Amino acid sequence: MIEHMQLGDMPKFCESVKDKNGFLVSRKYETGISVRNDYEGDNMLNEQGFDLWADGYDRSVGLSDEGNTYPFVGYKRVLNAIYNAVLANGCQTVLDIGFGTGTLTQKLYEHGCTVYGQDFSQRMIELAKVKMPKAELYQGDFTKGLVETLKQNRYDAIVATYSLHHLTDAEKVVFIENLRPLLNDGGKIYIGDVAFPNRVQMEACRADAGDEWDGDEIYFVVDELQARFPQMRFEPLSYCSGVLTL
């Protein structure tokens, strides 16, 4: 089961580096790992930034989870909840959007699911391919939409973990609407991410996080999304994360 998954020995966090506007540029660890956030204006992380992040990605998110700190507190619970929900729904074909190194989809792949995916970084794809050699993985910036090949398929589950916060609130609505026709009958969309029941709770977390708050990421405000998608359910799994199901 995924709850036994180990993300490796966690390096100790040393410092964060921000630009002149106060946005997070990198987080440094005692092992020398530097986890970068290379934004270009209002665009999502550029490919070089993701490539520099890739080799230490699983360890960096695990560190935040173990330390009970924003933004990745609850990370393992989020992945575990989606893993169990996908399997409980009898899913055979899974699309993972922004799959990273394949931490979640590797477990579904090992369980016999047919895995498709799209990620921004070629390096992330190379790492995931080692874990899932028969998966169909494509490079592409999902803020510009899915690659055409993925639009031609239908899926029992579409999952996105800690990726869609690169979209604005309005873009999230359009993106989710465009995913729904890609589901098989009975299929579901599972989004695991930094998310809050309402904007008041998000602002409280922002105040508590202080300088650690990443001003470039646009987190999920559930009640506002539910106004557009009344069927959407939310399972909070920490004070700043949870799973949205549609």
Side-chain angles (χ1 to χ4, degrees):
M1 295 290 289
I2 199 169
E3 57 262 31
H4 300 307
M5 173 181 62
Q6 299 298 317
L7 296 181
D9 295 328
M10 307 305 179
K12 183 179 179 181
F13 173 73
C14 293
E15 64 175 311
S16 61
V17 178
K18 295 177 179 288
D19 65 15
K20 63 182 180 181
N21 297 314
F23 293 139
L24 190 65
V25 174
S26 67
R27 293 185 175 96
K28 294 183 179 179
Y29 300 86
E30 65 178 7
T31 57
I33 294 173
S34 181
V35 180
R36 294 186 56 80
N37 282 343
D38 287 330
Y39 285 88
E40 296 181 339
D42 293 329
N43 296 327
M44 68 181 292
L45 290 170
N46 64 37
E47 185 186 345
Q48 182 183 14
F50 271 126
D51 289 347
L52 291 171
W53 192 359
D55 291 318
Y57 177 78
D58 289 347
R59 282 177 288 173
S60 70
V61 296
L63 171 69
S64 177
D65 190 355
E66 294 293 330
N68 199 41
T69 58
Y70 157 88
F72 287 111
V73 59
Y75 171 77
K76 294 178 185 177
R77 294 193 294 277
V78 166
L79 268 60
N80 188 54
I82 294 176
Y83 171 78
N84 284 289
V86 169
L87 295 183
N89 204 39
C91 295
Q92 297 297 315
T93 306
V94 179
L95 169 61
D96 191 344
I97 301 167
F99 52 81
T101 57
T103 303
L104 170 61
T105 39
Q106 177 191 0
K107 298 299 178 182
L108 296 170
Y109 178 89
E110 290 172 354
H111 202 274
C113 295
T114 300
V115 171
Y116 296 82
Q118 178 172 325
D119 200 90
F120 192 60
S121 166
Q122 184 60 39
R123 179 58 177 153
M124 291 287 197
I125 292 173
E126 291 169 0
L127 292 171
K129 265 293 189 183
V130 173
K131 301 175 181 179
M132 304 179 292
K134 294 183 179 180
E136 296 194 29
L137 307 177
Y138 298 87
Q139 184 178 12
D141 182 354
F142 66 78
T143 66
K144 298 178 174 64
L146 296 179
V147 299
E148 287 302 318
T149 303
L150 294 176
K151 293 179 185 177
Q152 306 308 311
N153 297 322
R154 295 297 177 266
Y155 308 96
D156 298 314
I158 299 176
V159 304
T161 55
Y162 295 89
S163 56
L164 299 190
H165 55 241
H166 294 298
L167 300 174
T168 67
D169 291 334
E171 288 170 342
K172 287 182 180 72
V173 170
V174 174
F175 192 80
I176 292 170
E177 286 177 341
N178 289 337
L179 292 180
R180 298 178 78 181
L182 303 182
L183 292 170
N184 287 324
D185 290 343
K188 295 185 182 298
I189 299 168
Y190 303 94
I191 301 169
D193 214 316
V194 178
F196 303 89
N198 52 61
R199 198 162 291 274
V200 170
Q201 292 192 30
M202 184 182 75
E203 292 303 326
C205 183
R206 183 202 296 265
D208 185 63
D211 290 344
E212 289 302 309
W213 186 265
D214 193 332
D216 285 312
E217 296 182 345
I218 303 165
Y219 301 129
F220 286 84
V221 180
V222 177
D223 64 351
E224 295 174 11
L225 267 179
Q226 287 174 330
R228 296 297 299 269
F229 303 105
Q231 311 96 319
M232 180 176 282
R233 294 184 293 105
F234 178 56
E235 180 185 4
L237 293 169
S238 79
Y239 64 84
C240 66
S241 66
V243 176
L244 299 96
T245 304
L246 183 64

